[in-house]
Amino acid sequence: MSDAAARLAYDVIVDLVGRGSRVLDLGCGDGLLLARLMAEKGARGTGVELSQAGVQAAIARGLSVVQGDLDQGLADYRDGSFDWVILNQTLQSLVNPSLVLNEMLRVGKSALVGFPNCGHWRARWHLLLTGHMPQQASLDYRWYDTPATRLLTIADFRSYCGERGINIVREVFLTDPDGGRPTRWPNLRAETAIFVLAGQIEGRPRQRP
Amino acid sequence: MQPRSVGIVKTEYVELFQPPNELRLDSGEKIGPITVAYETYGTLNADRSNAILLCHALSGDAHAAGRNNEEDAKPGWWDDMVGPGKGFDTSKYFCICANVIGGCMGSTGPSSTNLRTGRPYGLSFPVVTIADMVRVQRELMRHLGIERLMCVSGGSMGGMQALQWTVDYPEMVLSAIPIASAAQQSSQGIAFDVVGRRAIMSDPKWRGGNYYAFGDPPLDGLALARMVAHITYLSEVSMRRKFGRRLQDRERYGYDFATEFQVESYLYYQGDKFTQRFDANTYLYITKAIDYFDLAASKGSLAEALREVTAKFLVIAFTSDWLYLPAQSREIVSALKVNNVDVSYCEIESDYGHDAFLLEVEEQERLIGNFLSGVAREHGIA
């Protein structure tokens, strides 16, 4: 994913997140998105990041970040303890995506999932013509060295949610690098997909104290 | 003078808990007066908001940074991290380090004279806990006119004290950095301490703890305790790299019991060096305090014990530390998360084992420096 495309996705996310939200960013990297959310939306944020370098960089931005493996789950967080749980450009590297998504819906009132769409026409064309796995801009690696082991399309994610009764609240699709937002045929035209899902606690009657 | 050094520092002494205001210990016993040896680095700002308390580990002392004399061969135990421009930046912050109660480096401990008898306490010194150490430090803060600490930090047993501070005096602590530490001493940790204590107590020169008058302390027992402990501070990889199976001063096996492996020679050296500066009874008392440490014990769970904590946390662990495992640090992080405490956690990749907290300077300097800048920014500390 190009820097420009990443920035466009960040713009979308910053736009979506409400002012003063409590945010958990899973796979927060160097914390750039969290820092923007805090600066531009007054969010109270915390991150989880696997790499030591990412944790160092995020702490250098003044953020609170816990080094850890998302695939271990989010057991320490209470139900509905965040307004937003964000999983941006990390889904494709998870070993246990279902576990993580379930946990996101448990601890977040809203969950946001952003991932590269492998249904894009260029990826399909590439596979059809060359017989090789695509290396589109958002997937810079070859099959043997990519951390992105979960390759999925917009259609895949929609049916995943449909099968599990997960409520998709919003979808935003982006083309790279021009930042167009195709509404028709997104699975063919968008490089990046951003889904907003309703957390479990939203649909449930609030527990009395 | 070394660059980025605090330079020449003087250890200060103060008598606290003058009778009748003796310190009431966890054991129920009372003790006072208590002399506390401490050092300070940097300058306390006008609103007294930039104070950082550094807590030392088992064998540490009040001398964290700089040199006490021009001729000192070595600087204080945390000199790498404490100084102008260092992790604990003494050009911005006012750092304090005090020898713990029970210690033998200037604060009252078993080798100190009991004013009632005129003789050294020996084993008549009451058993102290980590919480007792913190009570004494809190009194020292009162003496220094500091009502709020910007940060409390320390490695190993120092980290235990930092944790205890956030629980016992939550309103006084803005942030805490426990390093290579745990919320409770593990069974394995207790086991090694037990071996150390037995080594000392089975030395005939220990004489039930009353060896001070004989001028012949139980050095062999203390050295042996240190040798065992020192193994737990290293890692298999660091020992393999540092010594391997190499022999010291000889080419082939001597088929005798002289010191022959490099690792053997190293441990002997460490053991003997330790006896030159440390008191055997203090070793018993401090390891006992560590063994008693269990933050969760009185509250049922660690999360419950940390309920009142308001301090922002940076928890640091090292991948190869097998005395205080990263898993133990993650337990602290989990319990803090449950309580919605602002916490950061970094597991530094290192082969140095538990000793990494003193050796992995670069990574920690950045982490701690940046973390403290954040705390200072949030609270308008200048």
PDB file of all heavy atoms in Angstrom, chain A residues 22 46 52 55-57 59-67 76-78, chain B residues 314 334 337-338 340 342-349 363 366-367 370 377:
ATOM      1  N   ARG A  22     -13.247   6.709  22.740  1.00  0.00           N
ATOM      2  CA  ARG A  22     -12.207   5.850  23.300  1.00  0.00           C
ATOM      3  C   ARG A  22     -11.884   4.799  22.249  1.00  0.00           C
ATOM      4  O   ARG A  22     -12.762   4.039  21.828  1.00  0.00           O
ATOM      5  CB  ARG A  22     -12.719   5.213  24.591  1.00  0.00           C
ATOM      6  CG  ARG A  22     -11.618   4.604  25.413  1.00  0.00           C
ATOM      7  CD  ARG A  22     -12.063   4.288  26.826  1.00  0.00           C
ATOM      8  NE  ARG A  22     -11.333   3.121  27.315  1.00  0.00           N
ATOM      9  CZ  ARG A  22     -10.044   3.147  27.669  1.00  0.00           C
ATOM     10  NH1 ARG A  22      -9.360   4.257  27.617  1.00  0.00           N
ATOM     11  NH2 ARG A  22      -9.446   2.044  28.084  1.00  0.00           N
ATOM     12  N   THR A  46      -5.468   3.878  22.653  1.00  0.00           N
ATOM     13  CA  THR A  46      -4.405   2.971  23.060  1.00  0.00           C
ATOM     14  C   THR A  46      -4.234   1.958  21.938  1.00  0.00           C
ATOM     15  O   THR A  46      -5.161   1.717  21.174  1.00  0.00           O
ATOM     16  CB  THR A  46      -4.740   2.307  24.415  1.00  0.00           C
ATOM     17  OG1 THR A  46      -3.664   1.455  24.791  1.00  0.00           O
ATOM     18  CG2 THR A  46      -6.006   1.499  24.346  1.00  0.00           C
ATOM     19  N   GLN A  52       8.620  -4.513  18.312  1.00  0.00           N
ATOM     20  CA  GLN A  52       9.281  -3.640  19.275  1.00  0.00           C
ATOM     21  C   GLN A  52       9.510  -2.260  18.674  1.00  0.00           C
ATOM     22  O   GLN A  52       9.339  -1.251  19.341  1.00  0.00           O
ATOM     23  CB  GLN A  52      10.611  -4.283  19.668  1.00  0.00           C
ATOM     24  CG  GLN A  52      11.301  -3.617  20.834  1.00  0.00           C
ATOM     25  CD  GLN A  52      12.597  -4.336  21.171  1.00  0.00           C
ATOM     26  OE1 GLN A  52      12.644  -5.549  21.270  1.00  0.00           O
ATOM     27  NE2 GLN A  52      13.667  -3.582  21.322  1.00  0.00           N
ATOM     28  N   VAL A  55       6.326  -0.301  18.767  1.00  0.00           N
ATOM     29  CA  VAL A  55       6.028   0.142  20.136  1.00  0.00           C
ATOM     30  C   VAL A  55       6.901   1.346  20.499  1.00  0.00           C
ATOM     31  O   VAL A  55       6.411   2.343  21.028  1.00  0.00           O
ATOM     32  CB  VAL A  55       6.236  -1.020  21.147  1.00  0.00           C
ATOM     33  CG1 VAL A  55       6.123  -0.518  22.571  1.00  0.00           C
ATOM     34  CG2 VAL A  55       5.209  -2.118  20.883  1.00  0.00           C
ATOM     35  N   GLN A  56       8.196   1.245  20.188  1.00  0.00           N
ATOM     36  CA  GLN A  56       9.117   2.367  20.451  1.00  0.00           C
ATOM     37  C   GLN A  56       8.614   3.636  19.781  1.00  0.00           C
ATOM     38  O   GLN A  56       8.545   4.697  20.412  1.00  0.00           O
ATOM     39  CB  GLN A  56      10.514   2.039  19.890  1.00  0.00           C
ATOM     40  CG  GLN A  56      11.431   1.292  20.826  1.00  0.00           C
ATOM     41  CD  GLN A  56      12.098   2.194  21.868  1.00  0.00           C
ATOM     42  OE1 GLN A  56      11.705   3.331  22.096  1.00  0.00           O
ATOM     43  NE2 GLN A  56      13.095   1.655  22.546  1.00  0.00           N
ATOM     44  N   ALA A  57       8.270   3.511  18.491  1.00  0.00           N
ATOM     45  CA  ALA A  57       7.863   4.690  17.722  1.00  0.00           C
ATOM     46  C   ALA A  57       6.571   5.279  18.276  1.00  0.00           C
ATOM     47  O   ALA A  57       6.428   6.503  18.374  1.00  0.00           O
ATOM     48  CB  ALA A  57       7.705   4.321  16.255  1.00  0.00           C
ATOM     49  N   ILE A  59       5.378   5.022  21.360  1.00  0.00           N
ATOM     50  CA  ILE A  59       5.625   5.655  22.661  1.00  0.00           C
ATOM     51  C   ILE A  59       6.325   7.003  22.450  1.00  0.00           C
ATOM     52  O   ILE A  59       6.061   7.967  23.156  1.00  0.00           O
ATOM     53  CB  ILE A  59       6.414   4.713  23.601  1.00  0.00           C
ATOM     54  CG1 ILE A  59       5.492   3.563  24.033  1.00  0.00           C
ATOM     55  CG2 ILE A  59       6.951   5.458  24.820  1.00  0.00           C
ATOM     56  CD1 ILE A  59       6.145   2.489  24.855  1.00  0.00           C
ATOM     57  N   ALA A  60       7.171   7.063  21.435  1.00  0.00           N
ATOM     58  CA  ALA A  60       7.834   8.333  21.118  1.00  0.00           C
ATOM     59  C   ALA A  60       6.810   9.392  20.714  1.00  0.00           C
ATOM     60  O   ALA A  60       7.042  10.581  20.869  1.00  0.00           O
ATOM     61  CB  ALA A  60       8.860   8.134  20.012  1.00  0.00           C
ATOM     62  N   ARG A  61       5.658   8.955  20.189  1.00  0.00           N
ATOM     63  CA  ARG A  61       4.593   9.914  19.859  1.00  0.00           C
ATOM     64  C   ARG A  61       3.758  10.255  21.093  1.00  0.00           C
ATOM     65  O   ARG A  61       2.774  10.983  20.981  1.00  0.00           O
ATOM     66  CB  ARG A  61       3.643   9.306  18.825  1.00  0.00           C
ATOM     67  CG  ARG A  61       4.219   9.126  17.444  1.00  0.00           C
ATOM     68  CD  ARG A  61       3.124   8.591  16.519  1.00  0.00           C
ATOM     69  NE  ARG A  61       3.661   8.096  15.269  1.00  0.00           N
ATOM     70  CZ  ARG A  61       3.923   8.862  14.221  1.00  0.00           C
ATOM     71  NH1 ARG A  61       3.680  10.149  14.288  1.00  0.00           N
ATOM     72  NH2 ARG A  61       4.416   8.345  13.120  1.00  0.00           N
ATOM     73  N   GLY A  62       4.122   9.681  22.230  1.00  0.00           N
ATOM     74  CA  GLY A  62       3.372   9.958  23.459  1.00  0.00           C
ATOM     75  C   GLY A  62       2.144   9.087  23.611  1.00  0.00           C
ATOM     76  O   GLY A  62       1.257   9.378  24.398  1.00  0.00           O
ATOM     77  N   LEU A  63       2.079   7.992  22.844  1.00  0.00           N
ATOM     78  CA  LEU A  63       0.916   7.106  22.902  1.00  0.00           C
ATOM     79  C   LEU A  63       1.130   5.986  23.915  1.00  0.00           C
ATOM     80  O   LEU A  63       2.256   5.687  24.289  1.00  0.00           O
ATOM     81  CB  LEU A  63       0.674   6.483  21.527  1.00  0.00           C
ATOM     82  CG  LEU A  63       0.486   7.463  20.368  1.00  0.00           C
ATOM     83  CD1 LEU A  63       0.511   6.721  19.049  1.00  0.00           C
ATOM     84  CD2 LEU A  63      -0.824   8.223  20.550  1.00  0.00           C
ATOM     85  N   SER A  64       0.023   5.378  24.330  1.00  0.00           N
ATOM     86  CA  SER A  64       0.113   4.176  25.163  1.00  0.00           C
ATOM     87  C   SER A  64      -0.086   2.966  24.278  1.00  0.00           C
ATOM     88  O   SER A  64      -1.120   2.836  23.626  1.00  0.00           O
ATOM     89  CB  SER A  64      -0.964   4.194  26.240  1.00  0.00           C
ATOM     90  OG  SER A  64      -0.686   5.211  27.165  1.00  0.00           O
ATOM     91  N   VAL A  65       0.912   2.107  24.259  1.00  0.00           N
ATOM     92  CA  VAL A  65       0.871   0.957  23.373  1.00  0.00           C
ATOM     93  C   VAL A  65       1.370  -0.273  24.112  1.00  0.00           C
ATOM     94  O   VAL A  65       2.362  -0.215  24.828  1.00  0.00           O
ATOM     95  CB  VAL A  65       1.763   1.182  22.139  1.00  0.00           C
ATOM     96  CG1 VAL A  65       1.722  -0.031  21.229  1.00  0.00           C
ATOM     97  CG2 VAL A  65       1.317   2.410  21.389  1.00  0.00           C
ATOM     98  N   VAL A  66       0.653  -1.359  23.914  1.00  0.00           N
ATOM     99  CA  VAL A  66       1.058  -2.612  24.531  1.00  0.00           C
ATOM    100  C   VAL A  66       1.610  -3.536  23.456  1.00  0.00           C
ATOM    101  O   VAL A  66       0.960  -3.748  22.430  1.00  0.00           O
ATOM    102  CB  VAL A  66      -0.150  -3.260  25.243  1.00  0.00           C
ATOM    103  CG1 VAL A  66       0.168  -4.689  25.641  1.00  0.00           C
ATOM    104  CG2 VAL A  66      -0.534  -2.441  26.461  1.00  0.00           C
ATOM    105  N   GLN A  67       2.806  -4.030  23.699  1.00  0.00           N
ATOM    106  CA  GLN A  67       3.372  -4.982  22.744  1.00  0.00           C
ATOM    107  C   GLN A  67       2.701  -6.330  22.964  1.00  0.00           C
ATOM    108  O   GLN A  67       2.690  -6.864  24.066  1.00  0.00           O
ATOM    109  CB  GLN A  67       4.881  -5.102  22.949  1.00  0.00           C
ATOM    110  CG  GLN A  67       5.545  -5.877  21.841  1.00  0.00           C
ATOM    111  CD  GLN A  67       7.057  -5.847  21.957  1.00  0.00           C
ATOM    112  OE1 GLN A  67       7.618  -5.213  22.846  1.00  0.00           O
ATOM    113  NE2 GLN A  67       7.718  -6.537  21.047  1.00  0.00           N
ATOM    114  N   ASP A  76      -8.215  -9.157  28.147  1.00  0.00           N
ATOM    115  CA  ASP A  76      -8.102  -8.238  29.283  1.00  0.00           C
ATOM    116  C   ASP A  76      -9.093  -7.090  29.237  1.00  0.00           C
ATOM    117  O   ASP A  76      -9.293  -6.409  30.236  1.00  0.00           O
ATOM    118  CB  ASP A  76      -6.696  -7.647  29.339  1.00  0.00           C
ATOM    119  CG  ASP A  76      -5.657  -8.728  29.433  1.00  0.00           C
ATOM    120  OD1 ASP A  76      -5.955  -9.760  30.062  1.00  0.00           O
ATOM    121  OD2 ASP A  76      -4.562  -8.563  28.866  1.00  0.00           O
ATOM    122  N   TYR A  77      -9.675  -6.864  28.072  1.00  0.00           N
ATOM    123  CA  TYR A  77     -10.589  -5.723  27.985  1.00  0.00           C
ATOM    124  C   TYR A  77     -12.016  -6.153  28.271  1.00  0.00           C
ATOM    125  O   TYR A  77     -12.477  -7.188  27.812  1.00  0.00           O
ATOM    126  CB  TYR A  77     -10.500  -5.085  26.601  1.00  0.00           C
ATOM    127  CG  TYR A  77      -9.139  -4.511  26.295  1.00  0.00           C
ATOM    128  CD1 TYR A  77      -8.309  -5.099  25.351  1.00  0.00           C
ATOM    129  CD2 TYR A  77      -8.683  -3.381  26.971  1.00  0.00           C
ATOM    130  CE1 TYR A  77      -7.060  -4.573  25.074  1.00  0.00           C
ATOM    131  CE2 TYR A  77      -7.434  -2.853  26.705  1.00  0.00           C
ATOM    132  CZ  TYR A  77      -6.628  -3.452  25.754  1.00  0.00           C
ATOM    133  OH  TYR A  77      -5.383  -2.935  25.492  1.00  0.00           O
ATOM    134  N   ARG A  78     -12.713  -5.320  29.008  1.00  0.00           N
ATOM    135  CA  ARG A  78     -14.102  -5.606  29.344  1.00  0.00           C
ATOM    136  C   ARG A  78     -14.993  -5.375  28.130  1.00  0.00           C
ATOM    137  O   ARG A  78     -14.662  -4.619  27.223  1.00  0.00           O
ATOM    138  CB  ARG A  78     -14.563  -4.688  30.471  1.00  0.00           C
ATOM    139  CG  ARG A  78     -13.862  -4.921  31.800  1.00  0.00           C
ATOM    140  CD  ARG A  78     -14.466  -3.985  32.842  1.00  0.00           C
ATOM    141  NE  ARG A  78     -13.538  -3.709  33.919  1.00  0.00           N
ATOM    142  CZ  ARG A  78     -13.495  -4.399  35.066  1.00  0.00           C
ATOM    143  NH1 ARG A  78     -14.305  -5.397  35.268  1.00  0.00           N
ATOM    144  NH2 ARG A  78     -12.634  -4.079  36.008  1.00  0.00           N
TER     145      ARG A  78
ATOM    146  N   LEU B 314       4.484   2.299  32.277  1.00  0.00           N
ATOM    147  CA  LEU B 314       5.300   1.708  31.211  1.00  0.00           C
ATOM    148  C   LEU B 314       5.939   0.469  31.831  1.00  0.00           C
ATOM    149  O   LEU B 314       6.736   0.563  32.753  1.00  0.00           O
ATOM    150  CB  LEU B 314       6.390   2.677  30.733  1.00  0.00           C
ATOM    151  CG  LEU B 314       7.450   2.080  29.798  1.00  0.00           C
ATOM    152  CD1 LEU B 314       6.836   1.558  28.499  1.00  0.00           C
ATOM    153  CD2 LEU B 314       8.541   3.101  29.480  1.00  0.00           C
ATOM    154  N   SER B 334      -2.021  -6.984  32.022  1.00  0.00           N
ATOM    155  CA  SER B 334      -3.406  -7.459  31.946  1.00  0.00           C
ATOM    156  C   SER B 334      -4.246  -6.864  33.061  1.00  0.00           C
ATOM    157  O   SER B 334      -5.347  -6.353  32.828  1.00  0.00           O
ATOM    158  CB  SER B 334      -3.460  -8.984  32.094  1.00  0.00           C
ATOM    159  OG  SER B 334      -2.931  -9.593  30.966  1.00  0.00           O
ATOM    160  N   LYS B 337      -4.947  -3.298  32.443  1.00  0.00           N
ATOM    161  CA  LYS B 337      -5.918  -3.099  31.363  1.00  0.00           C
ATOM    162  C   LYS B 337      -7.337  -3.322  31.880  1.00  0.00           C
ATOM    163  O   LYS B 337      -8.257  -2.580  31.540  1.00  0.00           O
ATOM    164  CB  LYS B 337      -5.630  -4.068  30.211  1.00  0.00           C
ATOM    165  CG  LYS B 337      -4.469  -3.628  29.333  1.00  0.00           C
ATOM    166  CD  LYS B 337      -4.558  -4.273  27.959  1.00  0.00           C
ATOM    167  CE  LYS B 337      -3.637  -5.438  27.830  1.00  0.00           C
ATOM    168  NZ  LYS B 337      -3.660  -6.085  26.523  1.00  0.00           N
ATOM    169  N   VAL B 338      -7.497  -4.358  32.697  1.00  0.00           N
ATOM    170  CA  VAL B 338      -8.816  -4.635  33.259  1.00  0.00           C
ATOM    171  C   VAL B 338      -9.342  -3.410  34.004  1.00  0.00           C
ATOM    172  O   VAL B 338     -10.518  -3.115  33.995  1.00  0.00           O
ATOM    173  CB  VAL B 338      -8.752  -5.862  34.207  1.00  0.00           C
ATOM    174  CG1 VAL B 338     -10.018  -6.001  35.018  1.00  0.00           C
ATOM    175  CG2 VAL B 338      -8.495  -7.131  33.404  1.00  0.00           C
ATOM    176  N   ASN B 340      -8.650  -0.381  33.271  1.00  0.00           N
ATOM    177  CA  ASN B 340      -8.607   0.790  32.388  1.00  0.00           C
ATOM    178  C   ASN B 340      -7.480   1.749  32.720  1.00  0.00           C
ATOM    179  O   ASN B 340      -7.603   2.952  32.508  1.00  0.00           O
ATOM    180  CB  ASN B 340      -9.933   1.556  32.435  1.00  0.00           C
ATOM    181  CG  ASN B 340     -10.886   1.023  31.390  1.00  0.00           C
ATOM    182  OD1 ASN B 340     -10.438   0.521  30.346  1.00  0.00           O
ATOM    183  ND2 ASN B 340     -12.164   1.092  31.670  1.00  0.00           N
ATOM    184  N   ASP B 342      -3.967   3.458  32.056  1.00  0.00           N
ATOM    185  CA  ASP B 342      -3.182   3.796  30.876  1.00  0.00           C
ATOM    186  C   ASP B 342      -1.846   3.052  30.954  1.00  0.00           C
ATOM    187  O   ASP B 342      -1.010   3.356  31.789  1.00  0.00           O
ATOM    188  CB  ASP B 342      -2.942   5.315  30.933  1.00  0.00           C
ATOM    189  CG  ASP B 342      -2.652   5.882  29.580  1.00  0.00           C
ATOM    190  OD1 ASP B 342      -2.233   5.117  28.697  1.00  0.00           O
ATOM    191  OD2 ASP B 342      -2.850   7.091  29.415  1.00  0.00           O
ATOM    192  N   VAL B 343      -1.656   2.059  30.100  1.00  0.00           N
ATOM    193  CA  VAL B 343      -0.435   1.256  30.220  1.00  0.00           C
ATOM    194  C   VAL B 343       0.221   1.009  28.872  1.00  0.00           C
ATOM    195  O   VAL B 343      -0.455   0.776  27.873  1.00  0.00           O
ATOM    196  CB  VAL B 343      -0.733  -0.100  30.917  1.00  0.00           C
ATOM    197  CG1 VAL B 343      -1.828  -0.867  30.216  1.00  0.00           C
ATOM    198  CG2 VAL B 343       0.519  -0.968  31.027  1.00  0.00           C
ATOM    199  N   SER B 344       1.539   1.113  28.866  1.00  0.00           N
ATOM    200  CA  SER B 344       2.326   0.692  27.716  1.00  0.00           C
ATOM    201  C   SER B 344       3.199  -0.468  28.151  1.00  0.00           C
ATOM    202  O   SER B 344       3.613  -0.557  29.308  1.00  0.00           O
ATOM    203  CB  SER B 344       3.218   1.825  27.205  1.00  0.00           C
ATOM    204  OG  SER B 344       2.445   2.800  26.552  1.00  0.00           O
ATOM    205  N   TYR B 345       3.460  -1.356  27.197  1.00  0.00           N
ATOM    206  CA  TYR B 345       4.285  -2.515  27.524  1.00  0.00           C
ATOM    207  C   TYR B 345       5.261  -2.769  26.393  1.00  0.00           C
ATOM    208  O   TYR B 345       4.872  -2.762  25.227  1.00  0.00           O
ATOM    209  CB  TYR B 345       3.397  -3.744  27.721  1.00  0.00           C
ATOM    210  CG  TYR B 345       4.167  -5.050  27.861  1.00  0.00           C
ATOM    211  CD1 TYR B 345       5.077  -5.215  28.900  1.00  0.00           C
ATOM    212  CD2 TYR B 345       4.004  -6.093  26.950  1.00  0.00           C
ATOM    213  CE1 TYR B 345       5.790  -6.389  29.031  1.00  0.00           C
ATOM    214  CE2 TYR B 345       4.711  -7.274  27.079  1.00  0.00           C
ATOM    215  CZ  TYR B 345       5.605  -7.422  28.126  1.00  0.00           C
ATOM    216  OH  TYR B 345       6.319  -8.584  28.250  1.00  0.00           O
ATOM    217  N   CYS B 346       6.506  -2.968  26.741  1.00  0.00           N
ATOM    218  CA  CYS B 346       7.492  -3.313  25.717  1.00  0.00           C
ATOM    219  C   CYS B 346       8.324  -4.498  26.177  1.00  0.00           C
ATOM    220  O   CYS B 346       8.820  -4.536  27.305  1.00  0.00           O
ATOM    221  CB  CYS B 346       8.400  -2.114  25.419  1.00  0.00           C
ATOM    222  SG  CYS B 346       9.426  -2.396  23.961  1.00  0.00           S
ATOM    223  N   GLU B 347       8.419  -5.454  25.297  1.00  0.00           N
ATOM    224  CA  GLU B 347       9.203  -6.654  25.574  1.00  0.00           C
ATOM    225  C   GLU B 347      10.471  -6.540  24.740  1.00  0.00           C
ATOM    226  O   GLU B 347      10.447  -6.772  23.531  1.00  0.00           O
ATOM    227  CB  GLU B 347       8.372  -7.868  25.146  1.00  0.00           C
ATOM    228  CG  GLU B 347       8.682  -9.131  25.885  1.00  0.00           C
ATOM    229  CD  GLU B 347       7.596 -10.170  25.621  1.00  0.00           C
ATOM    230  OE1 GLU B 347       6.455  -9.992  26.079  1.00  0.00           O
ATOM    231  OE2 GLU B 347       7.905 -11.154  24.935  1.00  0.00           O
ATOM    232  N   ILE B 348      11.544  -6.153  25.382  1.00  0.00           N
ATOM    233  CA  ILE B 348      12.768  -5.882  24.636  1.00  0.00           C
ATOM    234  C   ILE B 348      13.491  -7.190  24.310  1.00  0.00           C
ATOM    235  O   ILE B 348      13.724  -8.019  25.183  1.00  0.00           O
ATOM    236  CB  ILE B 348      13.678  -4.911  25.422  1.00  0.00           C
ATOM    237  CG1 ILE B 348      12.982  -3.552  25.566  1.00  0.00           C
ATOM    238  CG2 ILE B 348      15.031  -4.768  24.737  1.00  0.00           C
ATOM    239  CD1 ILE B 348      13.726  -2.536  26.390  1.00  0.00           C
ATOM    240  N   GLU B 349      13.812  -7.313  23.043  1.00  0.00           N
ATOM    241  CA  GLU B 349      14.523  -8.497  22.549  1.00  0.00           C
ATOM    242  C   GLU B 349      15.954  -8.440  23.088  1.00  0.00           C
ATOM    243  O   GLU B 349      16.688  -7.508  22.797  1.00  0.00           O
ATOM    244  CB  GLU B 349      14.521  -8.420  21.014  1.00  0.00           C
ATOM    245  CG  GLU B 349      15.062  -9.619  20.301  1.00  0.00           C
ATOM    246  CD  GLU B 349      14.046 -10.743  20.222  1.00  0.00           C
ATOM    247  OE1 GLU B 349      12.846 -10.437  20.019  1.00  0.00           O
ATOM    248  OE2 GLU B 349      14.455 -11.902  20.370  1.00  0.00           O
ATOM    249  N   GLU B 363      17.742   0.892  24.031  1.00  0.00           N
ATOM    250  CA  GLU B 363      16.299   0.739  23.870  1.00  0.00           C
ATOM    251  C   GLU B 363      15.556   1.358  25.052  1.00  0.00           C
ATOM    252  O   GLU B 363      14.550   2.030  24.878  1.00  0.00           O
ATOM    253  CB  GLU B 363      15.939  -0.753  23.766  1.00  0.00           C
ATOM    254  CG  GLU B 363      16.285  -1.384  22.437  1.00  0.00           C
ATOM    255  CD  GLU B 363      15.373  -0.907  21.312  1.00  0.00           C
ATOM    256  OE1 GLU B 363      14.148  -1.003  21.460  1.00  0.00           O
ATOM    257  OE2 GLU B 363      15.898  -0.424  20.298  1.00  0.00           O
ATOM    258  N   ARG B 366      15.531   5.275  25.142  1.00  0.00           N
ATOM    259  CA  ARG B 366      14.520   5.865  24.249  1.00  0.00           C
ATOM    260  C   ARG B 366      13.121   5.706  24.839  1.00  0.00           C
ATOM    261  O   ARG B 366      12.349   6.650  24.895  1.00  0.00           O
ATOM    262  CB  ARG B 366      14.568   5.187  22.882  1.00  0.00           C
ATOM    263  CG  ARG B 366      15.656   5.730  21.983  1.00  0.00           C
ATOM    264  CD  ARG B 366      15.625   5.029  20.628  1.00  0.00           C
ATOM    265  NE  ARG B 366      14.364   5.188  19.929  1.00  0.00           N
ATOM    266  CZ  ARG B 366      13.927   4.362  18.970  1.00  0.00           C
ATOM    267  NH1 ARG B 366      14.647   3.319  18.628  1.00  0.00           N
ATOM    268  NH2 ARG B 366      12.782   4.579  18.364  1.00  0.00           N
ATOM    269  N   LEU B 367      12.819   4.467  25.247  1.00  0.00           N
ATOM    270  CA  LEU B 367      11.488   4.183  25.786  1.00  0.00           C
ATOM    271  C   LEU B 367      11.168   5.087  26.972  1.00  0.00           C
ATOM    272  O   LEU B 367      10.142   5.757  27.010  1.00  0.00           O
ATOM    273  CB  LEU B 367      11.427   2.734  26.272  1.00  0.00           C
ATOM    274  CG  LEU B 367      10.986   1.639  25.323  1.00  0.00           C
ATOM    275  CD1 LEU B 367      11.090   0.299  26.025  1.00  0.00           C
ATOM    276  CD2 LEU B 367       9.561   1.874  24.839  1.00  0.00           C
ATOM    277  N   ASN B 370      11.145   8.950  26.212  1.00  0.00           N
ATOM    278  CA  ASN B 370       9.922   9.366  25.511  1.00  0.00           C
ATOM    279  C   ASN B 370       8.693   9.260  26.402  1.00  0.00           C
ATOM    280  O   ASN B 370       7.811  10.111  26.365  1.00  0.00           O
ATOM    281  CB  ASN B 370       9.715   8.522  24.249  1.00  0.00           C
ATOM    282  CG  ASN B 370      10.696   8.908  23.149  1.00  0.00           C
ATOM    283  OD1 ASN B 370      11.052  10.065  23.007  1.00  0.00           O
ATOM    284  ND2 ASN B 370      11.137   7.931  22.392  1.00  0.00           N
ATOM    285  N   ARG B 377       4.520  16.312  29.551  1.00  0.00           N
ATOM    286  CA  ARG B 377       3.617  17.092  28.694  1.00  0.00           C
ATOM    287  C   ARG B 377       2.192  17.078  29.251  1.00  0.00           C
ATOM    288  O   ARG B 377       1.547  18.109  29.381  1.00  0.00           O
ATOM    289  CB  ARG B 377       3.635  16.493  27.291  1.00  0.00           C
ATOM    290  CG  ARG B 377       3.871  17.518  26.208  1.00  0.00           C
ATOM    291  CD  ARG B 377       3.921  16.969  24.793  1.00  0.00           C
ATOM    292  NE  ARG B 377       3.714  15.559  24.603  1.00  0.00           N
ATOM    293  CZ  ARG B 377       4.674  14.694  24.280  1.00  0.00           C
ATOM    294  NH1 ARG B 377       5.923  15.100  24.168  1.00  0.00           N
ATOM    295  NH2 ARG B 377       4.402  13.425  24.081  1.00  0.00           N
TER     296      ARG B 377
END
